[in-house]
Amino acid sequence: MTDRPLTLMAVHAHPDDEATGTGGILARYAAEGIRTVLVTCTDGACGDGPGGVKPGDPGHDPAAVAVMRRRELGASCDTLRISDLETLDYADSGMMGWPSNDAPGSFWRTPVEEGAARLAELMRHYRPDVVVTYDENGFYGHPDHIQAHRITMAALEMTDLTPKVYWTTMPHSMVRRFGEIMSEFQEDMPEPDPAETAALAEIGLPDDEVTTWVDATAFSGQKFDALAAHASQGENIFFLKMGKERFGELMGTETFVRVHDATGAAVPETDLFAGLR
C-alpha cells in the first residue's frame, strides 16, 4: 500500500481537446480526490486568431495565437480543477494535408521516439494509474491526434509502468444522435458532402465494443465552461451552441475503449479506476 494518490494522465494534442472528450472525467475524478495530469502536446498555433482570422489568412500570427491559447488552456484547467498541466509545446501541425504538417518543428514531423522519451519522463514522474489518449486514427484522422497516440503508446513501452490504458471513442448511437442535433441547430445547413458523411460513419465504434461508459453528467456544466474558456476557437466548437442543458444531455457520458489492464476488472465498466480502489 502507498499514500501516493491515484493518478489519471490524459494526453491530448491541442488546447481545448482536454475539454471536448475528457472534460467530464477530469472534473469528476478531481472532485473525487484523484490527481489529474493533463499533457498537451502542441501550442495550438494553427487555431483561429483574434476575430476569427483563419490560419494562412492576412493578420493570422501563429506566435500570438499560441500565447492566447496557452492562456485559455490555463483557464480551462482551472475550471476542471486539473492538478497538473504539462505542455510539450510542439508546433501545431494543422489539419491533415496542410503545408504546416511538414513545417520544421511540427508535431507531425517530430520523430516518435523523441516525443515518447519526453512523455515517458513525465510518466515516470507522475506514475499514472490510468492513461487516456486517442486511438490509432486520432479519433478522426487529425495528424496531431495520431501523433499523440503514437508517442503515448511508445512512451508506455519505455517505462516499467502498467497503468490501465484507454482510448477515447464514441458509440455509434451517440454519433447518430450528434448528427441529429447538428441538423436541429443548423437547419440551413447545405446537403452534407458524401465524403464527409462516410467519414462520420467511420467515427467511433459499435455500442457493444465500447468497454467503458463514465457518467460525468454532474460535471457537464464544468465541461461546458471549460470549452467556453477557449473563446478564440468558439466558432469551431459546435457544442457551445447547444446551451448547458442540451450539452449535458449529449455530452454528460464519456466513453472509452480499454486497451491495457492489469486489474482484471470486468467490462463493460463505469469507472476508469475500477479494480484500483
Short mmCIF file of all heavy atoms in Angstrom, two decimals, residues 119-157:
data_model
loop_
_atom_site.label_atom_id
_atom_site.label_comp_id
_atom_site.label_asym_id
_atom_site.label_seq_id
_atom_site.Cartn_x
_atom_site.Cartn_y
_atom_site.Cartn_z
N LEU A 119 7.62 12.22 -23.01
CA LEU A 119 6.41 11.82 -22.30
C LEU A 119 6.71 10.73 -21.28
O LEU A 119 6.15 10.74 -20.17
CB LEU A 119 5.37 11.34 -23.30
CG LEU A 119 4.01 10.93 -22.74
CD1 LEU A 119 3.38 12.07 -21.93
CD2 LEU A 119 3.07 10.49 -23.86
N ALA A 120 7.60 9.82 -21.62
CA ALA A 120 7.97 8.76 -20.67
C ALA A 120 8.56 9.35 -19.40
O ALA A 120 8.32 8.85 -18.29
CB ALA A 120 8.97 7.80 -21.33
N GLU A 121 9.32 10.43 -19.54
CA GLU A 121 9.89 11.09 -18.37
C GLU A 121 8.78 11.61 -17.46
O GLU A 121 8.85 11.49 -16.22
CB GLU A 121 10.80 12.24 -18.81
CG GLU A 121 11.52 12.94 -17.68
CD GLU A 121 12.48 14.01 -18.17
OE1 GLU A 121 12.75 14.07 -19.38
OE2 GLU A 121 12.95 14.79 -17.32
N LEU A 122 7.74 12.18 -18.07
CA LEU A 122 6.60 12.65 -17.27
C LEU A 122 5.85 11.48 -16.63
O LEU A 122 5.40 11.58 -15.49
CB LEU A 122 5.64 13.46 -18.16
CG LEU A 122 6.18 14.79 -18.69
CD1 LEU A 122 5.17 15.41 -19.66
CD2 LEU A 122 6.47 15.75 -17.55
N MET A 123 5.73 10.40 -17.36
CA MET A 123 5.05 9.22 -16.79
C MET A 123 5.82 8.69 -15.59
O MET A 123 5.22 8.31 -14.57
CB MET A 123 4.90 8.14 -17.86
CG MET A 123 3.87 8.47 -18.91
SD MET A 123 3.77 7.14 -20.16
CE MET A 123 2.36 7.71 -21.12
N ARG A 124 7.13 8.65 -15.69
CA ARG A 124 7.93 8.17 -14.55
C ARG A 124 7.77 9.10 -13.34
O ARG A 124 7.81 8.64 -12.19
CB ARG A 124 9.40 8.05 -14.95
CG ARG A 124 9.67 6.99 -16.01
CD ARG A 124 11.16 6.82 -16.25
NE ARG A 124 11.42 6.01 -17.45
CZ ARG A 124 11.76 6.53 -18.63
NH1 ARG A 124 11.94 7.84 -18.75
NH2 ARG A 124 11.95 5.74 -19.67
N HIS A 125 7.62 10.38 -13.62
CA HIS A 125 7.46 11.34 -12.53
C HIS A 125 6.10 11.20 -11.85
O HIS A 125 6.01 11.13 -10.62
CB HIS A 125 7.63 12.77 -13.06
CG HIS A 125 7.34 13.83 -12.06
ND1 HIS A 125 8.17 14.11 -11.00
CD2 HIS A 125 6.27 14.68 -11.93
CE1 HIS A 125 7.66 15.08 -10.26
NE2 HIS A 125 6.50 15.45 -10.81
N TYR A 126 5.03 11.16 -12.66
CA TYR A 126 3.68 11.14 -12.09
C TYR A 126 3.17 9.74 -11.79
O TYR A 126 2.25 9.57 -11.00
CB TYR A 126 2.70 11.84 -13.05
CG TYR A 126 2.89 13.33 -13.13
CD1 TYR A 126 3.48 13.93 -14.24
CD2 TYR A 126 2.49 14.15 -12.08
CE1 TYR A 126 3.65 15.30 -14.32
CE2 TYR A 126 2.66 15.53 -12.14
CZ TYR A 126 3.23 16.10 -13.26
OH TYR A 126 3.40 17.46 -13.32
N ARG A 127 3.73 8.72 -12.44
CA ARG A 127 3.34 7.32 -12.24
C ARG A 127 1.81 7.15 -12.30
O ARG A 127 1.17 6.75 -11.33
CB ARG A 127 3.91 6.76 -10.94
CG ARG A 127 5.43 6.88 -10.86
CD ARG A 127 6.03 6.06 -9.76
NE ARG A 127 5.90 4.62 -10.01
CZ ARG A 127 6.72 3.92 -10.80
NH1 ARG A 127 7.73 4.54 -11.43
NH2 ARG A 127 6.53 2.64 -10.97
N PRO A 128 1.22 7.45 -13.44
CA PRO A 128 -0.24 7.39 -13.55
C PRO A 128 -0.77 5.96 -13.41
O PRO A 128 -0.16 5.00 -13.87
CB PRO A 128 -0.52 7.93 -14.96
CG PRO A 128 0.74 7.64 -15.73
CD PRO A 128 1.84 7.83 -14.73
N ASP A 129 -1.94 5.86 -12.77
CA ASP A 129 -2.64 4.59 -12.67
C ASP A 129 -3.54 4.36 -13.87
O ASP A 129 -3.87 3.22 -14.20
CB ASP A 129 -3.48 4.58 -11.39
CG ASP A 129 -2.64 4.79 -10.15
OD1 ASP A 129 -1.98 3.83 -9.71
OD2 ASP A 129 -2.60 5.93 -9.64
N VAL A 130 -3.95 5.46 -14.51
CA VAL A 130 -4.79 5.42 -15.70
C VAL A 130 -4.22 6.42 -16.70
O VAL A 130 -3.90 7.55 -16.33
CB VAL A 130 -6.26 5.77 -15.38
CG1 VAL A 130 -7.08 5.93 -16.66
CG2 VAL A 130 -6.88 4.71 -14.48
N VAL A 131 -4.11 5.99 -17.96
CA VAL A 131 -3.66 6.87 -19.04
C VAL A 131 -4.74 6.87 -20.12
O VAL A 131 -5.24 5.81 -20.52
CB VAL A 131 -2.31 6.41 -19.64
CG1 VAL A 131 -1.96 7.23 -20.88
CG2 VAL A 131 -1.20 6.52 -18.60
N VAL A 132 -5.09 8.07 -20.58
CA VAL A 132 -6.11 8.22 -21.61
C VAL A 132 -5.51 9.00 -22.79
O VAL A 132 -4.86 10.03 -22.58
CB VAL A 132 -7.35 8.97 -21.08
CG1 VAL A 132 -8.36 9.21 -22.20
CG2 VAL A 132 -8.00 8.20 -19.94
N THR A 133 -5.73 8.50 -24.00
CA THR A 133 -5.34 9.24 -25.19
C THR A 133 -6.27 8.80 -26.33
O THR A 133 -7.32 8.24 -26.10
CB THR A 133 -3.85 9.03 -25.54
OG1 THR A 133 -3.46 9.98 -26.54
CG2 THR A 133 -3.56 7.62 -26.01
N TYR A 134 -5.85 9.06 -27.58
CA TYR A 134 -6.67 8.73 -28.75
C TYR A 134 -6.32 7.34 -29.28
O TYR A 134 -5.31 6.75 -28.91
CB TYR A 134 -6.42 9.76 -29.87
CG TYR A 134 -6.41 11.18 -29.43
CD1 TYR A 134 -5.19 11.84 -29.20
CD2 TYR A 134 -7.58 11.90 -29.22
CE1 TYR A 134 -5.17 13.17 -28.79
CE2 TYR A 134 -7.57 13.22 -28.82
CZ TYR A 134 -6.36 13.85 -28.60
OH TYR A 134 -6.33 15.16 -28.19
N ASP A 135 -7.16 6.88 -30.23
CA ASP A 135 -6.87 5.63 -30.92
C ASP A 135 -5.88 5.87 -32.06
O ASP A 135 -5.38 6.98 -32.25
CB ASP A 135 -8.17 4.97 -31.42
CG ASP A 135 -8.93 5.82 -32.44
OD1 ASP A 135 -8.33 6.75 -33.04
OD2 ASP A 135 -10.13 5.55 -32.65
N GLU A 136 -5.61 4.81 -32.84
CA GLU A 136 -4.59 4.90 -33.88
C GLU A 136 -4.90 5.95 -34.93
O GLU A 136 -4.00 6.48 -35.58
CB GLU A 136 -4.42 3.56 -34.60
CG GLU A 136 -4.07 2.39 -33.69
CD GLU A 136 -5.28 1.54 -33.38
OE1 GLU A 136 -6.37 2.10 -33.11
OE2 GLU A 136 -5.14 0.30 -33.38
N ASN A 137 -6.18 6.24 -35.14
CA ASN A 137 -6.58 7.24 -36.13
C ASN A 137 -6.81 8.61 -35.50
O ASN A 137 -7.33 9.51 -36.16
CB ASN A 137 -7.86 6.77 -36.85
CG ASN A 137 -8.18 7.61 -38.07
OD1 ASN A 137 -7.30 7.91 -38.88
ND2 ASN A 137 -9.43 8.01 -38.22
N GLY A 138 -6.39 8.77 -34.27
CA GLY A 138 -6.59 10.06 -33.61
C GLY A 138 -8.05 10.45 -33.52
O GLY A 138 -8.39 11.63 -33.56
N PHE A 139 -8.93 9.46 -33.44
CA PHE A 139 -10.38 9.59 -33.38
C PHE A 139 -10.98 9.99 -34.72
O PHE A 139 -11.91 9.39 -35.19
CB PHE A 139 -10.82 10.56 -32.29
CG PHE A 139 -12.32 10.62 -32.10
CD1 PHE A 139 -13.02 9.48 -31.74
CD2 PHE A 139 -13.02 11.79 -32.30
CE1 PHE A 139 -14.41 9.52 -31.58
CE2 PHE A 139 -14.39 11.84 -32.15
CZ PHE A 139 -15.09 10.69 -31.79
N TYR A 140 -10.40 11.02 -35.38
CA TYR A 140 -10.99 11.43 -36.66
C TYR A 140 -9.94 11.78 -37.71
O TYR A 140 -10.24 12.42 -38.71
CB TYR A 140 -11.96 12.60 -36.47
CG TYR A 140 -11.31 13.92 -36.09
CD1 TYR A 140 -11.05 14.90 -37.06
CD2 TYR A 140 -10.97 14.20 -34.78
CE1 TYR A 140 -10.48 16.12 -36.72
CE2 TYR A 140 -10.40 15.42 -34.42
CZ TYR A 140 -10.15 16.36 -35.40
OH TYR A 140 -9.57 17.56 -35.05
N GLY A 141 -8.71 11.34 -37.51
CA GLY A 141 -7.70 11.49 -38.54
C GLY A 141 -6.84 12.73 -38.47
O GLY A 141 -6.08 13.00 -39.41
N HIS A 142 -6.91 13.49 -37.38
CA HIS A 142 -6.06 14.67 -37.26
C HIS A 142 -4.61 14.23 -37.02
O HIS A 142 -4.36 13.38 -36.16
CB HIS A 142 -6.53 15.56 -36.11
CG HIS A 142 -5.91 16.92 -36.11
ND1 HIS A 142 -4.56 17.13 -35.93
CD2 HIS A 142 -6.47 18.15 -36.29
CE1 HIS A 142 -4.32 18.43 -35.98
NE2 HIS A 142 -5.45 19.06 -36.21
N PRO A 143 -3.65 14.79 -37.75
CA PRO A 143 -2.26 14.32 -37.60
C PRO A 143 -1.72 14.45 -36.19
O PRO A 143 -1.00 13.56 -35.71
CB PRO A 143 -1.47 15.18 -38.59
CG PRO A 143 -2.36 16.32 -38.96
CD PRO A 143 -3.76 15.82 -38.81
N ASP A 144 -2.05 15.53 -35.50
CA ASP A 144 -1.53 15.69 -34.14
C ASP A 144 -2.17 14.72 -33.16
O ASP A 144 -1.52 14.29 -32.19
CB ASP A 144 -1.72 17.14 -33.66
CG ASP A 144 -0.78 18.10 -34.35
OD1 ASP A 144 0.32 17.68 -34.74
OD2 ASP A 144 -1.15 19.28 -34.51
N HIS A 145 -3.42 14.37 -33.39
CA HIS A 145 -4.06 13.35 -32.54
C HIS A 145 -3.41 11.99 -32.78
O HIS A 145 -3.17 11.23 -31.83
CB HIS A 145 -5.56 13.27 -32.85
CG HIS A 145 -6.33 14.48 -32.42
ND1 HIS A 145 -7.57 14.38 -31.83
CD2 HIS A 145 -6.06 15.81 -32.48
CE1 HIS A 145 -8.04 15.59 -31.55
NE2 HIS A 145 -7.13 16.47 -31.96
N ILE A 146 -3.15 11.68 -34.05
CA ILE A 146 -2.48 10.42 -34.37
C ILE A 146 -1.10 10.38 -33.71
O ILE A 146 -0.70 9.36 -33.12
CB ILE A 146 -2.36 10.26 -35.89
CG1 ILE A 146 -3.76 10.09 -36.52
CG2 ILE A 146 -1.47 9.07 -36.25
CD1 ILE A 146 -3.78 10.17 -38.04
N GLN A 147 -0.39 11.48 -33.78
CA GLN A 147 0.96 11.53 -33.19
C GLN A 147 0.89 11.43 -31.67
O GLN A 147 1.76 10.78 -31.05
CB GLN A 147 1.67 12.81 -33.63
CG GLN A 147 3.14 12.88 -33.26
CD GLN A 147 4.03 12.01 -34.15
OE1 GLN A 147 3.61 10.97 -34.64
NE2 GLN A 147 5.27 12.44 -34.33
N ALA A 148 -0.12 12.04 -31.06
CA ALA A 148 -0.28 11.91 -29.60
C ALA A 148 -0.50 10.45 -29.22
O ALA A 148 0.05 9.97 -28.21
CB ALA A 148 -1.44 12.78 -29.13
N HIS A 149 -1.30 9.75 -30.01
CA HIS A 149 -1.48 8.31 -29.77
C HIS A 149 -0.15 7.58 -29.87
O HIS A 149 0.20 6.77 -29.00
CB HIS A 149 -2.46 7.74 -30.80
CG HIS A 149 -2.39 6.25 -30.92
ND1 HIS A 149 -3.10 5.41 -30.09
CD2 HIS A 149 -1.67 5.43 -31.75
CE1 HIS A 149 -2.83 4.15 -30.41
NE2 HIS A 149 -1.97 4.15 -31.42
N ARG A 150 0.60 7.88 -30.92
CA ARG A 150 1.85 7.16 -31.15
C ARG A 150 2.85 7.38 -30.03
O ARG A 150 3.48 6.42 -29.55
CB ARG A 150 2.45 7.59 -32.49
CG ARG A 150 1.68 7.11 -33.71
CD ARG A 150 2.23 7.73 -34.98
NE ARG A 150 1.56 7.22 -36.17
CZ ARG A 150 1.71 7.72 -37.40
NH1 ARG A 150 2.54 8.75 -37.59
NH2 ARG A 150 1.07 7.20 -38.42
N ILE A 151 3.01 8.62 -29.61
CA ILE A 151 4.03 8.86 -28.57
C ILE A 151 3.56 8.31 -27.22
O ILE A 151 4.38 7.88 -26.41
CB ILE A 151 4.45 10.34 -28.46
CG1 ILE A 151 3.36 11.20 -27.80
CG2 ILE A 151 4.88 10.90 -29.81
CD1 ILE A 151 3.90 12.54 -27.30
N THR A 152 2.26 8.30 -26.98
CA THR A 152 1.76 7.75 -25.71
C THR A 152 2.04 6.26 -25.62
O THR A 152 2.56 5.76 -24.61
CB THR A 152 0.26 8.01 -25.56
OG1 THR A 152 0.01 9.41 -25.61
CG2 THR A 152 -0.25 7.45 -24.24
N MET A 153 1.70 5.54 -26.68
CA MET A 153 1.90 4.09 -26.64
C MET A 153 3.39 3.75 -26.61
O MET A 153 3.81 2.81 -25.92
CB MET A 153 1.21 3.44 -27.83
CG MET A 153 -0.30 3.74 -27.93
SD MET A 153 -1.22 3.51 -26.37
CE MET A 153 -1.13 1.71 -26.22
N ALA A 154 4.20 4.53 -27.32
CA ALA A 154 5.65 4.30 -27.30
C ALA A 154 6.23 4.64 -25.94
O ALA A 154 7.13 3.94 -25.44
CB ALA A 154 6.33 5.11 -28.39
N ALA A 155 5.75 5.71 -25.32
CA ALA A 155 6.25 6.10 -24.00
C ALA A 155 5.97 5.02 -22.97
O ALA A 155 6.81 4.72 -22.11
CB ALA A 155 5.62 7.43 -23.58
N LEU A 156 4.78 4.44 -23.02
CA LEU A 156 4.46 3.37 -22.08
C LEU A 156 5.43 2.20 -22.22
O LEU A 156 5.82 1.58 -21.22
CB LEU A 156 3.02 2.90 -22.31
CG LEU A 156 1.94 3.87 -21.84
CD1 LEU A 156 0.59 3.53 -22.45
CD2 LEU A 156 1.85 3.87 -20.32
N GLU A 157 5.85 1.92 -23.46
CA GLU A 157 6.80 0.83 -23.69
C GLU A 157 8.18 1.16 -23.10
O GLU A 157 8.95 0.25 -22.79
CB GLU A 157 6.95 0.57 -25.20
CG GLU A 157 5.71 -0.02 -25.85
CD GLU A 157 5.44 -1.44 -25.39
OE1 GLU A 157 6.41 -2.17 -25.09
OE2 GLU A 157 4.25 -1.83 -25.30
#
